[in-house]
Structure formats: structure tokens, C-alpha cells
Amino acid sequence: MKKNIILDLDTGVDDSIALALAAIDPSVNLLGVTATFGNVTTDVGARNALDVLALVGRSDVPVYEGAYHALNQQKFQPHDVSVRIHGRNGVGQVSFSRSTREVEKESAFDFIINSMHSYGKDLTIITTGPLTNLATVLQREPELCFWNGQVVVMGGALTVRGNVNHFAEANISQDPEAAKMVFESGLDVTMVGLDVTMRSRLTQHDADLWRSGGKQFGILFAGMVEYYITNTLGSDETYVHDPSAVVCSLHPEYFTIIPLHLTVETEGVDRGRTIVDHRRLREGNPTTKVCVDVDASKVEMSLEKIATFARS
Ligand code: BDR
Ligand code: CA
């Protein structure tokens, strides 16, 4: 049976790779993509998602726009660091052909809510941006905290330092209040944070391989990833953040996962930090599962599906 998945993305470079990975996987029933702000503004992220889907021949997948800014903010502009890493257009300054499909009229919130009701436990929502869309869903229908599907979050850092500052990871830092709401909600959440995403590598060799197939997809994705590689670590490799969440949803057995009651700091110097809720240390049945280790070779092997697709 195929796995029903919604991807909630702030479609920058690694989100695009996560999207391609899910879209080309025959074991995935990709129900839709919901767009959020983060690496880019929501409208740009939605556009990028449509274009990536067209590039991999999956224009049948609908894309919905969600939150335009964090819960406690009135507006959003991408941070300089996001522009530097993902490019002004979010996809490494590479020009994708425009998809002829448009963004859906229905909001991301309604789409997520309706899908949660229709699919129940047989739905996984994978988020690779700020958690604002999911938090908004919970604000609109609080009883959805009893929903028994799965949420896989790329975000946070428990055993390692953050990447925005010592404490906070970028996706959580964009909207700590939303993240706190989701982690404390009681939903079945798996956190795929920097603890694991920084252990796997995407390299220049991967980009060369993608390009060598000579297909439009491989050439554009190689260019996009080269931009990202150059502007993140400045070497010939980079981390595998967002695709790790897709891999984890399909193959949790590659990961070492600890159940914990997780929360997010919203005050002080460690605002945006994902941390165990000290008030709930003695409580049973933690709802968050935190990935603390991974067989990186398995994640890297999963990325080979992209190379195979680019060369087929
Ligand atoms: C996360 O931040 C974004 O820049 C990436 O797309 C990823 O989702 C990594 O901290
Ligand atoms: Ca992302």
C-alpha cells in the first residue's frame, strides 16, 4: 500500500530535493504540497514547488498556500542568510521552466484539515519549514490534537548546537510559538533535527552524477545544489536537512529514535531551542520521537534515487 503524504515546505534548495524524492517514489501517494514562508516568501515557495513538480512530471500534485508570516508577526521577509544559501529565488538562482499549473484556491489550512479528517491515521504530514501551518490548523480545530496520523518535522536540535545561533535551528527559530504548540499538542511528532541531518552528506559528486544524465531535471538540480553547496559549507559537500525527513518517514529503521516530551523555549537567549520539558520528566507516553542518530550511509543511498531518475 502506498504511503499518503502531504509535504509542508518553504521551498528552497533542500526542500526541492525532498519534494523530488517524494514525488518520484512509487511507494508514495503525494496528496499535495502546502507552502509556508521561510527560505522564501510563501508565494515564491508555492511557485517553486509547482515548478519542481512539473520538472519531475508530477503536475498532477496540487499546491496550496498557507501562512505568510509567523503566528506573532504581521509580515515576513526572507533573512539575508536564506538569500545567501538558497538564492533570491530560493532555488539557487537556477531558472526552472514555469509550470502551467496554478496554486489552488483552497487554503493550505483547509486542505490539511480536510485531509486529516479523510485519511485519519493513514496520513503523514512532513514539514520542512516553520510549523506555522500546522499550528494554525490546531488553532482552527483544537480537537485535531487527537488526530492519530503522523507528523515528521525537519527542525530543531536536541543534542547539538543550533544553526541560527548556539540554541536554535532555523525552522523552529522562524516561529517558536508555532513549534511549541505542535510539539506540546499531543500529536504523534517525529523530530528530524540537526542531530541527524548534519550527519549525512550531499556532495559535488552527486551533482555531477545528476548532470551526467543530460536531462533537464538533472542539469537544473545540479546547478541548484552547487549553489547551495558553495554557500553553506564552502567546501564540496553539504548537509542533508529536508530530504532526511522524507527518508525518515519511509524508513524510520535507519534512525535511532528516543520518545521524549519535547517543548520549545520562547523566551530569553535560547528562544527557539527544542528541549525536553522538565515539567513532564516523570510523565509517561511521550508523544514526540526525537531522532538522535542515523545510519548516514542509508540516507545517502536513498538520495541515489534522484541520480537514477536523472539518468533514466
Ligand atoms: C532548515 O532550514 C532551511 O534553510 C532548510 O531548508 C531546512 O529546512 C535547516 O535548518
Ligand atoms: Ca526547508
Side-chain angles (χ1 to χ4, degrees):
M1 203 174 91
K2 288 191 180 206
K3 196 173 180 97
N4 300 313
I5 286 179
I6 292 176
L7 287 175
D8 187 57
L9 314 174
D10 58 332
T11 312
V13 174
D14 57 335
D15 306 80
S16 297
I17 301 168
L19 173 55
L21 202 56
I24 64 175
D25 191 322
S27 73
V28 170
N29 180 25
L30 185 56
L31 300 175
V33 173
T34 52
T36 187
F37 66 94
N39 295 321
V40 284
T41 54
T42 305
D43 55 333
V44 172
R47 209 351 97 196
N48 288 343
L50 283 166
D51 295 347
V52 170
L53 286 165
L55 195 57
V56 299
R58 290 301 313 272
S59 286
D60 56 303
V61 177
V63 176
Y64 304 82
E65 281 185 14
Y68 267 70
H69 50 74
L71 292 180
N72 291 354
Q73 303 286 324
Q74 298 307 318
K75 56 183 188 317
F76 170 78
Q77 268 310 308
H79 300 161
D80 291 348
V81 62
S82 308
V83 174
R84 178 169 60 76
I85 292 175
H86 296 269
R88 192 156 294 284
N89 67 356
V91 287
Q93 296 303 99
V94 164
S95 298
F96 289 162
S97 305
R98 298 278 83 160
S99 167
T100 51
R101 184 160 184 165
E102 295 298 328
V103 166
E104 301 304 301
K105 292 206 170 53
E106 188 184 4
S107 76
F109 316 121
D110 288 338
F111 172 67
I112 294 172
I113 290 171
N114 292 336
S115 306
M116 286 165 110
H117 285 304
S118 338
Y119 289 89
K121 66 174 176 34
D122 297 322
L123 171 63
T124 302
I125 301 173
I126 303 175
T127 71
T128 66
L131 287 162
T132 320
N133 285 347
L134 214 46
T136 306
V137 160
L138 290 171
Q139 279 179 329
R140 291 196 180 180
E141 272 204 38
E143 61 277 19
L144 277 173
C145 66
F146 299 112
W147 175 65
N148 55 1
Q150 302 84 48
V151 178
V152 179
V153 170
M154 190 284 126
L158 185 70
T159 61
V160 296
R161 54 162 294 164
N163 57 3
V164 170
N165 55 43
H166 200 81
F167 301 108
E169 179 280 329
N171 289 337
I172 306 299
S173 158
Q174 294 273 18
D175 195 348
E177 283 75 18
K180 182 180 168 72
M181 200 179 292
V182 170
F183 282 124
E184 292 186 359
S185 65
L187 286 175
D188 177 346
V189 179
T190 301
M191 180 177 119
V192 184
L194 301 181
D195 313 80
V196 287
T197 64
M198 287 171 59
R199 293 182 196 254
S200 308
R201 290 280 184 275
L202 184 64
T203 67
Q204 180 61 46
H205 175 69
D206 293 305
D208 293 341
L209 214 55
W210 300 356
R211 183 179 282 118
S212 68
K215 276 169 62 176
Q216 177 89 332
F217 164 76
I219 295 167
L220 293 175
F221 259 51
M224 177 182 79
V225 158
E226 278 165 354
Y227 185 99
Y228 184 69
I229 287 178
T230 311
N231 289 292
T232 41
L233 294 185
S235 63
D236 64 352
E237 59 179 34
T238 188
Y239 307 125
V240 184
H241 296 308
D242 296 344
S244 290
V246 172
V247 175
C248 182
S249 81
L250 299 173
H251 293 286
E253 71 277 10
Y254 297 169
F255 294 77
T256 306
I257 299 178
I258 304 181
L260 292 166
H261 285 295
L262 214 69
T263 186
V264 177
E265 296 289 356
T266 54
E267 307 284 342
V269 286
D270 54 350
R271 177 171 159 79
R273 179 185 194 176
T274 45
I275 190 166
V276 175
D277 190 342
H278 68 279
R279 298 160 306 181
R280 304 181 69 193
L281 279 175
R282 294 188 202 201
E283 266 180 46
N285 305 321
T287 53
T288 305
K289 302 174 189 125
V290 182
C291 296
V292 290
D293 198 3
V294 61
D295 183 343
S297 67
K298 294 272 175 46
V299 173
E300 289 160 9
M301 215 168 65
S302 302
L303 289 179
E304 285 171 17
K305 285 183 199 146
I306 302 235
T308 309
F309 180 76
R311 290 154 64 84
S312 61

